[in-house]
Coordinates of all heavy atoms in Angstrom, one line a residue:
M6 N -40.8 65.3 -37.1 CA -40.6 66.3 -36.1 C -39.3 66.1 -35.2 O -38.9 65.0 -35.2 CB -41.9 66.5 -35.1 CG -42.0 65.4 -34.2 SD -43.6 65.5 -33.5 CE -43.7 64.0 -32.5
R7 N -38.9 67.2 -34.7 CA -37.6 67.0 -34.0 C -37.8 67.5 -32.4 O -38.8 68.3 -32.2 CB -36.7 67.9 -34.6 CG -36.0 67.3 -35.9 CD -34.8 68.0 -36.4 NE -34.5 67.4 -37.8 CZ -33.5 66.5 -37.7 NH1 -33.0 66.1 -36.5 NH2 -33.2 65.9 -38.8
C8 N -37.1 66.9 -31.6 CA -37.1 67.3 -30.2 C -36.8 68.8 -30.1 O -35.6 69.3 -30.6 CB -36.1 66.4 -29.5 SG -36.0 66.7 -27.7
S9 N -37.5 69.5 -29.2 CA -37.3 71.0 -29.1 C -36.0 71.2 -28.3 O -35.6 72.3 -28.4 CB -38.6 71.5 -28.5 OG -39.6 71.3 -29.2
F10 N -35.6 70.2 -27.6 CA -34.4 70.3 -26.8 C -33.1 69.9 -27.4 O -32.1 70.7 -27.7 CB -34.6 69.7 -25.4 CG -33.5 70.1 -24.5 CD1 -33.5 71.3 -23.9 CD2 -32.5 69.2 -24.1 CE1 -32.5 71.7 -22.9 CE2 -31.5 69.5 -23.3 CZ -31.4 70.7 -22.8
C11 N -33.0 68.6 -27.8 CA -31.8 68.1 -28.4 C -31.8 68.0 -29.9 O -30.8 67.7 -30.4 CB -31.5 66.8 -27.7 SG -32.6 65.4 -28.3
N12 N -32.9 68.3 -30.4 CA -33.0 68.4 -31.9 C -32.9 67.1 -32.6 O -32.8 67.0 -33.8 CB -31.9 69.3 -32.4 CG -32.4 69.9 -33.9 OD1 -33.4 70.2 -34.0 ND2 -31.4 70.2 -34.7
K13 N -33.0 66.0 -31.8 CA -33.1 64.7 -32.3 C -34.4 64.4 -33.0 O -35.4 64.9 -32.7 CB -32.8 63.6 -31.2 CG -32.2 62.4 -31.6 CD -31.8 61.6 -30.5 CE -32.8 60.6 -30.0 NZ -32.5 59.8 -28.8
R14 N -34.3 63.6 -34.0 CA -35.5 63.3 -34.7 C -36.4 62.2 -33.8 O -35.9 61.3 -33.3 CB -35.2 62.5 -36.1 CG -36.0 62.9 -37.2 CD -35.6 62.0 -38.5 NE -37.0 61.5 -38.8 CZ -37.9 62.0 -39.5 NH1 -37.7 63.2 -39.9 NH2 -38.9 61.4 -39.9
I15 N -37.7 62.5 -33.9 CA -38.5 61.8 -32.9 C -39.5 60.9 -33.9 O -40.2 61.5 -34.7 CB -39.5 62.7 -32.1 CG1 -38.6 63.7 -31.3 CG2 -40.4 61.7 -31.2 CD1 -39.5 64.8 -30.6
P16 N -39.3 59.6 -33.9 CA -40.2 58.8 -34.8 C -41.7 59.0 -34.4 O -42.0 59.2 -33.1 CB -39.8 57.3 -34.3 CG -38.5 57.4 -33.5 CD -38.5 58.8 -33.0
E17 N -42.5 59.0 -35.4 CA -43.9 59.2 -35.2 C -44.5 58.3 -34.2 O -44.2 57.0 -34.2 CB -44.6 59.0 -36.6 CG -45.5 60.3 -37.0 CD -46.1 60.2 -38.2 OE1 -45.4 60.3 -39.2 OE2 -47.3 59.9 -38.4
G18 N -45.4 58.8 -33.4 CA -46.1 58.1 -32.3 C -45.3 58.0 -31.1 O -45.9 57.4 -30.1
T19 N -44.1 58.4 -31.0 CA -43.3 58.4 -29.7 C -43.1 59.8 -29.4 O -43.4 60.9 -30.1 CB -42.0 57.7 -29.9 OG1 -41.2 58.5 -30.7 CG2 -42.2 56.3 -30.4
G20 N -42.5 60.1 -28.2 CA -42.1 61.4 -27.8 C -43.4 62.0 -27.1 O -44.4 61.4 -26.9
T21 N -43.2 63.2 -26.5 CA -44.2 63.9 -25.8 C -44.4 65.4 -26.4 O -43.4 66.0 -26.8 CB -43.7 64.1 -24.3 OG1 -43.0 63.0 -23.9 CG2 -44.7 64.6 -23.4
M22 N -45.6 65.8 -26.4 CA -45.9 67.1 -26.8 C -46.4 67.9 -25.8 O -47.1 67.4 -24.8 CB -47.0 67.1 -27.9 CG -47.2 68.4 -28.6 SD -48.7 68.4 -29.6 CE -49.9 68.9 -28.5
Y23 N -45.8 69.2 -25.6 CA -46.1 70.0 -24.5 C -46.5 71.4 -25.0 O -45.8 72.1 -25.8 CB -44.8 70.0 -23.6 CG -45.1 70.9 -22.4 CD1 -45.6 70.4 -21.2 CD2 -44.7 72.3 -22.4 CE1 -45.9 71.2 -20.1 CE2 -44.9 73.1 -21.2 CZ -45.5 72.5 -20.1 OH -45.7 73.3 -19.1
V24 N -47.6 71.8 -24.6 CA -48.1 73.1 -25.0 C -48.0 74.0 -23.8 O -48.7 73.8 -22.7 CB -49.6 73.0 -25.5 CG1 -50.0 74.4 -26.1 CG2 -49.7 72.0 -26.5
K25 N -47.3 75.2 -24.0 CA -47.1 76.0 -22.9 C -48.4 76.9 -22.8 O -49.1 77.0 -23.8 CB -46.0 77.0 -23.2 CG -44.7 76.3 -22.8 CD -43.5 77.2 -22.8 CE -43.3 77.9 -21.5 NZ -42.2 78.8 -21.4
A26 N -48.5 77.6 -21.7 CA -49.7 78.6 -21.6 C -49.7 79.7 -22.8 O -50.7 80.1 -23.1 CB -49.7 79.2 -20.3
S27 N -48.5 80.0 -23.2 CA -48.4 81.0 -24.2 C -48.9 80.5 -25.6 O -49.0 81.3 -26.5 CB -47.0 81.5 -24.3 OG -46.1 80.4 -24.6
G28 N -49.0 79.2 -25.6 CA -49.5 78.6 -27.0 C -48.2 77.9 -27.8 O -48.5 77.4 -28.7
K29 N -47.1 78.3 -27.3 CA -45.8 77.6 -27.9 C -45.9 76.1 -27.7 O -46.1 75.6 -26.5 CB -44.6 78.3 -27.4 CG -43.5 78.1 -28.3 CD -42.3 78.9 -27.7 CE -40.9 78.4 -28.1 NZ -40.7 78.4 -29.5
I30 N -45.6 75.4 -28.7 CA -45.5 74.0 -28.7 C -44.2 73.4 -28.6 O -43.5 73.8 -29.5 CB -46.4 73.3 -29.8 CG1 -47.8 73.8 -29.8 CG2 -46.3 71.8 -29.7 CD1 -48.7 73.5 -30.9
F31 N -43.9 72.5 -27.8 CA -42.6 71.8 -27.6 C -42.9 70.4 -27.8 O -43.9 69.7 -27.5 CB -41.9 72.0 -26.3 CG -41.5 73.4 -26.0 CD1 -42.2 74.1 -24.9 CD2 -40.6 74.0 -26.7 CE1 -41.7 75.4 -24.6 CE2 -40.2 75.4 -26.4 CZ -40.8 76.0 -25.4
Y32 N -41.9 69.8 -28.4 CA -41.9 68.3 -28.8 C -40.6 67.7 -28.0 O -39.5 68.3 -28.1 CB -41.7 67.9 -30.1 CG -43.1 68.2 -30.9 CD1 -43.1 69.3 -31.7 CD2 -44.2 67.4 -30.8 CE1 -44.3 69.7 -32.4 CE2 -45.3 67.8 -31.4 CZ -45.4 68.9 -32.3 OH -46.5 69.3 -33.0
F33 N -40.7 66.7 -27.3 CA -39.6 66.0 -26.5 C -39.5 64.6 -26.9 O -40.5 63.9 -26.9 CB -39.7 66.3 -25.1 CG -39.8 67.8 -24.6 CD1 -41.0 68.2 -24.2 CD2 -38.7 68.5 -24.7 CE1 -41.1 69.6 -23.8 CE2 -38.7 69.8 -24.3 CZ -39.8 70.3 -23.9
C34 N -38.2 64.1 -27.2 CA -38.0 62.8 -27.5 C -37.9 61.9 -26.2 O -38.3 60.7 -26.3 CB -36.6 62.5 -28.2 SG -35.3 63.0 -27.2
S35 N -37.7 62.5 -25.1 CA -37.7 61.8 -23.8 C -38.0 62.7 -22.7 O -38.0 64.1 -22.8 CB -36.3 61.2 -23.7 OG -35.4 62.2 -23.4
S36 N -38.4 62.0 -21.5 CA -38.7 62.8 -20.2 C -37.4 63.6 -19.9 O -37.5 64.6 -19.2 CB -39.1 61.9 -19.1 OG -38.4 60.9 -18.9
K37 N -36.2 63.0 -20.3 CA -35.0 63.7 -19.9 C -35.0 65.2 -20.5 O -34.6 66.1 -19.9 CB -33.8 63.0 -20.4 CG -32.5 63.3 -20.0 CD -31.4 62.2 -20.5 CE -30.1 62.9 -20.5 NZ -29.2 61.9 -21.3
C38 N -35.2 65.2 -21.8 CA -35.2 66.5 -22.5 C -36.3 67.4 -22.0 O -36.1 68.6 -21.8 CB -35.5 66.3 -24.0 SG -34.0 65.4 -24.8
E39 N -37.4 66.9 -21.7 CA -38.6 67.6 -21.1 C -38.1 68.3 -19.7 O -38.4 69.4 -19.5 CB -39.8 66.8 -21.0 CG -41.1 67.5 -20.5 CD -42.2 66.5 -20.3 OE1 -42.2 65.4 -20.7 OE2 -43.2 67.0 -19.7
K40 N -37.5 67.5 -18.9 CA -37.1 68.0 -17.7 C -36.0 69.0 -17.8 O -36.2 70.2 -17.1 CB -36.6 66.7 -16.9 CG -36.7 67.0 -15.4 CD -36.4 65.7 -14.6 CE -35.1 66.0 -13.8 NZ -34.7 64.6 -13.2
N41 N -35.1 68.8 -18.6 CA -34.1 69.8 -18.8 C -34.6 71.1 -19.2 O -34.2 72.2 -18.9 CB -33.0 69.3 -19.8 CG -32.1 68.5 -19.0 OD1 -31.1 69.0 -18.5 ND2 -32.3 67.1 -18.9
M42 N -35.5 71.1 -20.2 CA -36.1 72.3 -20.8 C -37.1 73.1 -19.9 O -37.0 74.3 -19.7 CB -36.9 71.9 -22.1 CG -37.5 73.1 -22.8 SD -36.2 74.1 -23.8 CE -36.8 73.7 -25.4
L43 N -38.0 72.3 -19.3 CA -39.1 72.9 -18.5 C -38.7 73.2 -17.1 O -39.2 74.1 -16.5 CB -40.4 72.1 -18.6 CG -40.8 71.8 -20.0 CD1 -42.1 70.8 -19.8 CD2 -41.2 73.1 -20.6
K44 N -38.0 72.1 -16.5 CA -37.7 72.4 -15.1 C -36.4 73.0 -14.8 O -36.3 73.9 -13.9 CB -37.9 71.0 -14.4 CG -39.2 70.4 -14.4 CD -39.3 69.4 -13.3 CE -40.8 68.9 -13.2 NZ -41.0 67.6 -12.8
L45 N -35.3 72.5 -15.5 CA -34.0 73.1 -15.2 C -33.8 74.3 -16.0 O -32.8 75.0 -15.9 CB -33.0 72.0 -15.4 CG -33.2 70.6 -14.7 CD1 -32.2 69.6 -15.2 CD2 -33.1 70.9 -13.3
K46 N -34.6 74.5 -17.1 CA -34.6 75.7 -18.0 C -33.2 75.7 -18.5 O -32.6 76.9 -18.6 CB -34.8 76.9 -17.2 CG -36.2 76.9 -16.7 CD -36.9 78.3 -16.5 CE -38.2 78.5 -15.8 NZ -39.2 77.5 -16.1
R47 N -32.6 74.7 -19.0 CA -31.3 74.6 -19.6 C -31.4 75.0 -21.0 O -32.4 74.8 -21.7 CB -30.7 73.3 -19.5 CG -30.1 73.1 -18.0 CD -29.3 71.7 -18.0 NE -28.8 71.5 -16.7 CZ -28.7 70.2 -16.2 NH1 -29.0 69.2 -16.8 NH2 -28.3 70.2 -15.0
K48 N -30.3 75.7 -21.6 CA -30.2 75.7 -22.9 C -29.5 74.7 -23.7 O -28.4 74.3 -23.2 CB -29.4 77.1 -23.2 CG -30.0 78.4 -22.7 CD -31.0 79.1 -23.7 CE -31.4 80.4 -23.3 NZ -32.3 80.4 -22.1
P49 N -30.1 74.2 -24.7 CA -29.6 73.1 -25.4 C -28.1 73.3 -25.9 O -27.3 72.4 -25.9 CB -30.5 72.9 -26.6 CG -31.7 73.6 -26.3 CD -31.4 74.6 -25.3
T50 N -27.8 74.5 -26.2 CA -26.4 74.9 -26.5 C -25.3 74.8 -25.4 O -24.2 74.7 -25.6 CB -26.3 76.3 -27.1 OG1 -27.0 77.1 -26.3 CG2 -27.0 76.3 -28.5
K51 N -25.9 74.8 -24.2 CA -25.1 74.5 -23.0 C -24.9 73.2 -22.5 O -24.1 72.9 -21.5 CB -25.5 75.5 -21.9 CG -25.8 76.8 -22.3 CD -24.6 77.8 -21.8 CE -24.9 79.2 -22.1 NZ -23.7 80.2 -22.1
V52 N -25.7 72.3 -23.1 CA -25.7 70.9 -22.6 C -25.0 70.1 -23.6 O -25.6 69.8 -24.7 CB -27.1 70.4 -22.3 CG1 -27.2 69.0 -21.8 CG2 -27.9 71.3 -21.4
E53 N -24.0 69.4 -23.1 CA -23.2 68.6 -24.0 C -23.8 67.5 -24.8 O -23.8 67.3 -26.0 CB -21.9 68.2 -23.2 CG -20.8 68.0 -24.2 CD -19.5 67.4 -23.6 OE1 -19.2 67.9 -22.4 OE2 -19.0 66.4 -24.0
W54 N -24.6 66.7 -23.9 CA -25.3 65.6 -24.5 C -26.4 65.9 -25.6 O -26.6 65.2 -26.6 CB -25.8 64.6 -23.6 CG -26.7 65.2 -22.5 CD1 -26.5 65.6 -21.3 CD2 -28.2 65.4 -22.8 NE1 -27.7 66.0 -20.7 CE2 -28.7 66.0 -21.7 CE3 -29.1 65.2 -23.9 CZ2 -30.1 66.3 -21.5 CZ3 -30.4 65.6 -23.7 CH2 -30.9 66.1 -22.5
A55 N -26.9 67.1 -25.5 CA -27.9 67.6 -26.4 C -27.3 68.0 -27.8 O -28.0 68.1 -28.7 CB -28.7 68.8 -25.7
Q56 N -26.1 68.2 -27.8 CA -25.4 68.6 -28.9 C -25.1 67.4 -29.9 O -25.0 67.6 -31.2 CB -24.0 69.2 -28.7 CG -24.0 70.5 -28.0 CD -24.8 71.6 -28.7 OE1 -24.3 71.9 -29.8 NE2 -25.9 72.2 -28.3
K57 N -25.2 66.2 -29.4 CA -24.8 65.1 -30.3 C -25.8 64.8 -31.3 O -25.4 64.3 -32.5 CB -24.8 63.9 -29.4 CG -23.5 64.0 -28.5 CD -23.2 62.8 -27.6 CE -22.0 63.0 -26.8 NZ -22.0 62.5 -25.3
G58 N -27.1 65.2 -31.1 CA -28.0 65.0 -32.3 C -28.1 66.2 -33.2 O -28.8 66.1 -34.2
V59 N -27.3 67.1 -33.0 CA -27.3 68.4 -33.7 C -26.3 68.3 -34.9 O -25.2 68.2 -34.6 CB -27.1 69.7 -32.9 CG1 -27.3 70.9 -33.8 CG2 -28.2 69.7 -31.8
K60 N -26.8 68.6 -36.0 CA -25.9 68.6 -37.2 C -25.1 69.8 -37.2 O -25.7 70.9 -37.0 CB -26.6 68.4 -38.4 CG -26.6 66.9 -39.1 CD -27.1 66.9 -40.4 CE -26.9 65.7 -41.1 NZ -27.5 65.6 -42.5
K61 N -23.9 69.8 -37.4 CA -23.2 71.1 -37.5 C -22.8 71.6 -38.8 O -22.7 70.8 -39.8 CB -21.9 70.9 -36.7 CG -22.2 70.7 -35.3 CD -21.0 71.2 -34.3 CE -21.5 71.2 -33.0 NZ -20.4 70.7 -32.0
Ligands
ZN122 ZN1 -34.5 65.2 -27.0

């Protein structure tokens, strides 16, 4: 699986799963990604460090 924010591969057994009230499931590689997505509501495309794990 991949991080819902930075798109980095998450090794099995690590990372965080977050289920929204709407039923949508997010996976996060770190609390940093979780915070950016859920609290700061940033778009991964607008965050430079989140682009590094994304293949172009
Ligand atoms: Zn991430």
Side-chain angles (χ1 to χ4, degrees):
M6 69 194 175
R7 285 182 179 275
C8 178
S9 300
F10 189 74
C11 71
N12 208 34
K13 207 169 89 178
R14 226 186 119 80
I15 306 170
E17 233 174 283
T19 65
T21 316
M22 192 183 85
Y23 180 87
V24 185
K25 281 189 90 173
S27 61
K29 199 171 155 61
I30 299 168
F31 291 116
Y32 293 102
F33 298 109
C34 67
S35 66
S36 56
K37 186 178 164 188
C38 286
E39 187 180 346
K40 205 169 114 183
N41 272 273
M42 179 79 112
L43 302 175
K44 290 201 179 152
L45 306 174
K46 300 204 189 321
R47 283 183 181 153
K48 293 273 188 295
T50 49
K51 303 257 184 200
V52 182
E53 206 181 313
W54 60 258
Q56 293 294 304
K57 288 181 179 139
V59 181
K60 260 192 173 175
K61 291 208 171 140

